[in-house]
Amino acid sequence: MVFVRKVPGRSGSTKVQLAERRDGRDVVLEHLGTARDDAELAVLFAVARRRMHEGQEALDLDGVGLEDEGVPTRPAPITSKRSALLWQVLTSAYTRLGFDAIDDEAFAQLVLARIIEPTSKADSVRVLNEIGAPTVSLRTMFRSLQRAQERDYRDRIAAACFDHAMITGDVSLVLYDVTTLYFEAENEDQLRKVGYSKERRVDPQIVVGLLVDRRGFPLEIGCFEGNKAETLTIIPIVKQFQARHGVADMVIVADAGMLSATNLRELDEAGLRFIVGSRVTKAPKDLESHFRWHGTAFADGQVIDTITPRDQRGTAVKASDPMRRAEPVWDPKVHAKSWRAVWAYSRKRAVRDNKTLSLQENKARAVVAGERAARTPRFVKSRNGATVLDEASLARARELVGLKGYVTNIPADLMPAGEVVASYHDLWHVEQSFRMSKTDLAARPIFHHTRDAIEAHLTIVFAALAIARDLQNSTGASIKKIITTLRPIQEITVRIAGHEHLAADPTTPAAQAILTALQARPH
């Protein structure tokens, strides 16, 4: 007997087919089309009636009958639907990282809900319900925040992350950076304080330090008062990491914001090696010999391995000797008051630096000419009560375009200059992890107001970031792409004639590529 078959399609569409029951299974005779609304569905059913054999009606196998006008009636009710494939991938990653050792279903749901759709804790129940995932009560979720602090979930998450990084990656070189997270609050307290913000915000904030491996996988996270200087955060985080895992020998890579004589001394005294970005203003002193013998011209990719004073505030310690043409080879015993400095020149960076300097010069000239408000920009100075262009400073800056410096305590025989530069350039991974936490995982703004609640929130973000990073490293796709690819693929339960039947959307090529990369199969 021929009957009309209705099959759920993608994005809420419905496929209409003519089918016949043969040997206990439905055989599709003809695909009539795909309807995206009730009007299109009525038209396709009208076509189906005309195509059927003379006098034969549709058999109500799919819960669909036909009226004379071809309008479908008595649709089969959907009793449940869920994004089973997405939930499978996320829960598998949670388990693979060893986070399931924390026997707290509510905590796991908060972490996974944040990956699916970052929102408030109160709204996480809705997110889980929308994808058909199991969910505890909202009250239980809030209690899990308290448990996270009481039972030190972050310590256990960090231990699992370290074990995973040891197996799949390399922790001999770690990357460090800081960011700020602001609060929708008017008043400061002991933790949330107004401090330096790159976004020029005046809201109370906290400073967050993040330590990751060279692939951007998170290893340690910590928060500090919002007005704490960035340079004062690296030592506590590194010591916390060392104490937690018993790590004695590793290389710390950080940007120029961490460059301080105290930081470098303490890292060195702790037996740790470091690579820290230098400031271009130090180039004239470090490269004094090079400028004297070779001038200010550089070749693309040229690297100069020299030394730099440990305490930049003093003038007694000289870097390279301008009377000698050869750069000194840093030796910690010989150069006890200096660090090794590597300077590299890039033509691409020079073009970018020149463009920036030209914009700054134009602003300076506009201020000098009275065309702009006298908010003193770079390269403007006062002379006899008048504003003038600082030609000397501008000329010096032009001479240094394209240069980037790196300070380290690793001897050249252990790490060549090129490897020092390459290791520092891995810092983009930690910057990307911060962008993920702020955008994909929406770590901010934070609506908690007590320190324990804030710390618990960061623990959830830390765990979610680890899962997101692991999935990205495994598949090569962004976490946003993974979610948008897998979420629409649903598993639907339909009740027909008192019996429930399971139907599922076909796996798309993009979804299959993700599953293949993860070596997973749909359950």
Side-chain angles (χ1 to χ4, degrees):
M1 176 181 289
V2 178
F3 63 94
V4 181
R5 188 167 183 261
K6 186 177 71 169
V7 180
R10 296 173 60 185
S11 303
S13 62
T14 303
K15 300 175 183 178
V16 178
Q17 302 166 339
L18 288 181
E20 186 176 27
R21 193 73 174 174
R22 296 178 188 172
D23 299 326
R25 64 188 184 91
D26 296 343
V27 178
V28 178
L29 302 177
E30 184 179 2
H31 176 72
L32 300 177
T34 301
R36 292 171 178 79
D37 53 40
D38 290 343
E40 293 180 356
L41 189 60
V43 172
L44 289 176
F45 269 98
V47 172
R49 173 181 284 278
R50 291 196 299 269
R51 299 272 181 97
M52 290 171 65
H53 294 301
E54 183 70 20
Q56 181 173 319
E57 297 291 337
L59 183 63
D60 193 14
L61 293 178
D62 287 72
V64 178
L66 288 178
E67 295 181 352
D68 291 339
E69 295 81 9
V71 179
T73 62
R74 302 197 316 276
I78 297 175
T79 59
S80 68
K81 60 180 180 178
R82 63 194 191 106
S83 301
L85 199 56
L86 172 61
W87 192 245
Q88 173 194 335
V89 166
L90 293 180
T91 53
S92 296
Y94 190 90
T95 301
R96 183 171 60 251
L97 292 177
F99 296 168
D100 58 333
I102 298 175
D103 188 17
D104 191 329
E105 187 178 3
F107 177 79
Q109 289 175 6
L110 282 172
V111 171
L112 300 183
R114 179 154 294 275
I115 299 173
I116 297 166
E117 183 182 328
T119 184
S120 66
K121 308 295 185 299
D123 205 28
S124 296
V125 174
R126 173 198 54 84
V127 174
L128 296 172
N129 285 335
E130 284 186 356
I131 70 161
T135 177
V136 299
S137 69
L138 181 58
R139 182 178 293 274
T140 303
M141 282 189 174
F142 278 113
R143 281 200 294 262
S144 73
L145 296 177
Q146 183 178 353
R147 291 194 297 272
Q149 287 303 102
E150 292 175 349
R151 302 176 186 178
D152 203 0
Y153 285 179
R154 189 184 302 175
D155 182 71
R156 298 161 72 179
I157 292 293
C161 287
F162 181 80
D163 291 342
H164 180 75
M166 287 287 288
I167 295 171
T168 62
D170 175 21
V171 296
S172 63
L173 184 145
V174 295
L175 317 171
Y176 180 78
D177 205 351
V178 298
T179 190
T180 55
L181 299 178
Y182 67 87
F183 292 78
E184 298 288 353
E186 295 182 0
N187 300 320
E188 297 178 298
D189 53 35
Q190 291 184 346
L191 177 63
R192 303 176 299 168
K193 294 185 178 295
V194 176
Y196 172 72
S197 171
K198 295 178 182 178
E199 300 160 350
R200 302 182 185 278
R201 301 189 68 94
V202 293
D203 303 286
Q205 63 181 22
I206 60 173
V207 176
V208 177
L210 181 65
L211 200 68
V212 306
D213 70 7
R214 64 172 70 222
R215 300 179 306 154
F217 185 76
L219 298 171
E220 193 79 34
I221 194 170
C223 75
F224 305 88
E225 295 79 6
N227 59 356
K228 196 176 188 69
E230 293 182 357
T231 54
L232 301 179
T233 65
I234 185 171
I235 298 299
I237 291 289
V238 170
K239 287 185 175 179
Q240 179 176 295
F241 179 76
Q242 280 188 291
R244 192 192 302 276
H245 307 295
V247 177
D249 185 23
M250 62 182 182
V251 178
I252 313 295
V253 181
D255 70 8
M258 300 298 112
L259 181 63
S260 76
T262 301
N263 280 347
L264 301 190
R265 185 187 69 251
E266 289 192 23
L267 288 172
D268 188 65
E269 289 175 352
L272 296 171
R273 291 168 290 177
F274 59 79
I275 300 172
V276 179
S278 185
R279 298 182 179 90
V280 72
T281 53
K282 302 183 187 303
K285 180 181 287 188
D286 293 357
L287 300 177
E288 186 176 3
S289 175
H290 178 88
F291 288 144
R292 182 178 189 275
W293 293 95
H294 305 284
T296 59
F298 296 89
D300 189 27
Q302 184 174 352
V303 175
I304 302 166
D305 206 336
T306 184
I307 61 175
T308 187
R310 291 193 179 191
D311 189 350
Q312 298 287 344
R313 293 170 300 179
T315 56
V317 179
K318 296 285 290 183
S320 57
D321 184 353
M323 302 308 295
R324 294 188 177 185
R325 186 166 187 165
E327 297 291 343
V329 178
W330 182 73
D331 185 326
K333 296 179 181 179
V334 176
H335 306 101
K337 295 184 178 181
S338 297
W339 299 118
R340 181 184 176 197
V342 176
W343 287 89
Y345 177 85
S346 163
R347 184 175 291 115
K348 184 177 180 181
R349 186 186 298 115
V351 171
R352 186 172 62 247
D353 290 349
N354 262 319
K355 184 177 180 180
T356 300
L357 284 175
S358 294
L359 291 174
Q360 293 173 336
E361 180 183 357
N362 292 338
K363 288 181 181 179
R365 290 186 181 278
V367 169
V368 171
E371 298 171 1
R372 291 175 61 98
R375 179 184 175 186
T376 308
R378 190 181 181 189
F379 306 128
V380 171
K381 65 179 182 179
S382 298
R383 179 186 295 165
N384 299 326
T387 56
V388 296
L389 185 67
D390 192 345
E391 300 276 4
S393 295
L394 180 59
R396 283 195 300 270
R398 292 285 185 192
E399 291 177 349
L400 303 177
V401 295
L403 286 171
K404 176 64 180 177
Y406 315 87
V407 179
T408 181
N409 63 344
I410 307 174
D413 58 342
L414 293 181
M415 183 177 286
E419 191 174 342
V420 171
V421 175
S423 296
Y424 181 87
H425 286 179
D426 282 336
L427 268 178
W428 71 271
H429 286 295
V430 67
E431 294 170 357
Q432 186 187 57
S433 289
F434 270 134
R435 285 196 298 272
M436 287 172 60
S437 67
K438 289 184 175 181
T439 55
D440 296 327
L441 303 178
R444 63 179 186 182
I446 307 176
F447 298 97
H448 302 289
H449 61 277
T450 65
R451 179 154 198 148
D452 280 351
I454 292 168
E455 293 278 9
H457 173 78
L458 286 180
T459 300
I460 290 171
V461 172
F462 182 43
L465 178 60
I467 294 172
R469 262 298 184 182
D470 178 62
L471 290 174
Q472 287 194 174
N473 291 340
S474 299
T475 64
S478 69
I479 190 62
K480 182 177 181 180
K481 179 67 175 177
I482 293 171
I483 299 300
T484 56
T485 299
L486 300 182
R487 188 170 184 173
I489 302 175
Q490 294 194 329
E491 187 178 270
I492 302 171
T493 303
V494 183
R495 182 178 294 114
I496 303 174
H499 300 282
E500 291 197 338
H501 300 264
L502 192 64
D505 289 325
T507 304
T508 63
Q512 188 57 55
I514 292 172
L515 295 178
T516 300
L518 296 173
Q519 298 181 344
R521 293 182 180 179
H523 290 167

